[in-house]
């Protein structure tokens, strides 16, 4: 079923929101709205994205009726900008668990997985006006009933609905997701957010490979720090810390 403005209004009122049956990228629309003065907590939602964006310039697939494409405008203190990615991952992991999924974990830094397959992608984008911080657009995509069968994503991506084995209403999912984002926004600088994120990570102790500064690093993910950086013990027995990147597991989970 298509998402509608009427159904969304029931769960979003009085939050400022903009809904598009079909959009380019909700992150782009939220970026423009933030520059026009949207308050913290405002949200842009689309039923379909035709130019959804993922990390590292990748395309993010949002066909109509089967996913969540949500961009929330947040205005955290500047010293906690790096925590927005963690906040998004925790809120989505909680959403999946609340919906009834088992085997939910966060692959460092912010990919929410169900039994090791990606169910959600998170794209936080900081928006500046010159030197002034305007806020952050926290873009969240969740596969609700996207079908990856027969595509090259089949072994790495999954959807929430088949994982829980029952129909899920996207308006209800959005309502819960935004509640969790509001909740964790109060704790953006608190160790509680960091500890919750760390407890949900499924990466620590795993053998990984990562491209970092143009080099391939192999080692074991040993820890994370309060900024979200991952400490890797390399095969040369050095410990290096990386703040961002795409890791691949090098042994079966
Ligand atoms: C990733 O590469 O894992 C991040 C994907 C982020 C996708 C979401 S969908 C809503 C928002 N709008 C976008 O264009 N991207 C984000």
């Amino acid at each position: 079923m298509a998402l509608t403005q009427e159904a969304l209004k029931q769960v979003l009122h009085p939050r400022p929101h903009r809904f598009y049956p079909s959009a380019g990228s909700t992150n782009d629309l939220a970026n423009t709205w933030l520059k026009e003065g949207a308050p913290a907590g405002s949200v842009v939602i689309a039923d379909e994205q035709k130019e959804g964006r993922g990390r590292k310039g990748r395309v993010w697939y949002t066909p109509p009726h089967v996913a969540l494409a949500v961009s929330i405008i947040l205005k955290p203190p500047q010293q906690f900008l790096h925590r927005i990615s963690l906040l998004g991952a925790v809120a989505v992991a909680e959403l999946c668990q609340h919906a009834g999924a088992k085997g939910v974990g966060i692959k460092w830094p912010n990919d929410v997985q169900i039994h090791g397959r990606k169910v959600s992608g998170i794209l936080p984008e900081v928006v500046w006006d010159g030197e002034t911080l305007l806020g952050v657009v926290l873009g969240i995509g969740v596969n609700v009933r996207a079908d990856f069968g027969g595509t090259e994503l089949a072994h790495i991506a999954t959807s929430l609905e088949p994982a829980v084995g029952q129909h899920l209403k996207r308006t209800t999912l959005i309502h819960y997701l935004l509640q969790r984002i509001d909740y964790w926004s109060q704790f953006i600088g608190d160790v509680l957010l960091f500890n919750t994120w760390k407890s949900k990570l499924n990466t620590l102790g795993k053998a990984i490979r990562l491209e970092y500064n143009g080099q391939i690093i192999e080692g074991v993910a040993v820890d994370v720090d309060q900024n979200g950086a991952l400490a890797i013990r390399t095969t040369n027995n050095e410990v290096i810390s990386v703040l961002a990147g795409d890791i691949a597991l090098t042994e079966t989970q």
Side-chain angles (χ1 to χ4, degrees):
M1 218 168 75
L3 271 179
T4 63
Q5 172 67 54
E6 290 65 39
L8 278 172
K9 213 168 147 188
Q10 307 285 320
V11 296
L12 294 180
H13 181 79
R15 182 190 298 273
H17 62 277
R18 292 183 176 175
F19 168 66
Y20 300 83
S22 181
S25 154
T26 54
N27 264 31
D28 291 346
L29 292 162
N31 179 307
T32 305
W33 194 13
L34 174 53
K35 289 178 179 156
E36 290 164 2
S42 302
V43 63
V44 177
I45 295 169
D47 189 22
E48 172 189 27
Q49 290 187 118
K50 294 209 155 153
E51 289 163 49
R53 294 190 287 104
R55 288 207 310 256
K56 294 191 159 185
R58 288 187 286 243
V59 169
W60 182 261
Y61 174 70
T62 314
H65 317 330
V66 298
L68 307 185
V70 176
S71 296
I72 305 109
I73 291 170
L74 298 173
K75 301 194 177 179
Q78 191 165 335
Q79 74 264 37
F80 299 129
L81 283 177
H82 58 277
R83 288 279 184 93
I84 294 293
S85 162
L86 281 58
L87 182 157
V90 167
V92 173
E94 289 178 334
L95 170 73
C96 296
Q97 285 166 329
H98 179 76
K102 304 277 179 263
V104 176
I106 300 172
K107 180 184 166 207
W108 182 87
N110 64 16
D111 280 350
V112 178
Q113 299 184 322
I114 297 178
H115 294 302
R117 291 185 186 181
K118 178 162 168 161
V119 70
S120 164
I122 291 172
L123 186 65
E125 295 184 311
V126 182
V127 184
W128 300 89
D129 177 12
E131 309 247 299
T132 308
L133 173 66
L134 295 183
V136 185
V137 170
L138 173 59
I140 298 179
V142 181
N143 307 320
V144 178
R145 59 188 86 91
D147 182 6
F148 298 100
T151 75
E152 80 254 27
L153 298 176
H155 64 292
I156 52 168
T158 192
S159 283
L160 185 54
E161 204 171 80
V164 302
Q166 65 177 40
H167 176 75
L168 298 170
K169 274 180 84 169
R170 285 180 298 156
T171 44
T172 311
L173 297 177
I174 290 169
H175 184 53
Y176 187 80
L177 176 66
L178 294 175
Q179 267 183 22
R180 297 319 294 162
I181 287 171
D182 291 346
Y183 173 81
W184 285 113
S185 295
Q186 306 167 83
F187 295 105
I188 190 77
D190 197 298
V191 72
L192 181 66
L193 172 62
F194 170 77
N195 286 344
T196 306
W197 171 73
K198 185 173 174 180
S199 72
K200 292 179 184 299
L201 282 179
N202 61 14
T203 309
L204 298 181
K206 300 270 168 65
I208 59 165
R209 181 185 300 119
L210 166 91
E211 194 189 320
Y212 182 64
N213 287 345
Q215 277 188 303
I216 300 292
I217 294 173
E218 289 198 273
V220 176
V222 285
D223 204 1
V224 280
D225 70 18
Q226 295 259 343
N227 295 322
L230 181 69
I232 303 167
R233 183 177 299 282
T234 67
T235 39
N236 302 333
N237 218 19
E238 279 174 275
V239 176
I240 60 154
S241 176
V242 295
L243 204 50
D246 278 338
I247 54 169
L249 297 180
T250 54
E251 64 188 7
T252 43
Q253 294 182 68

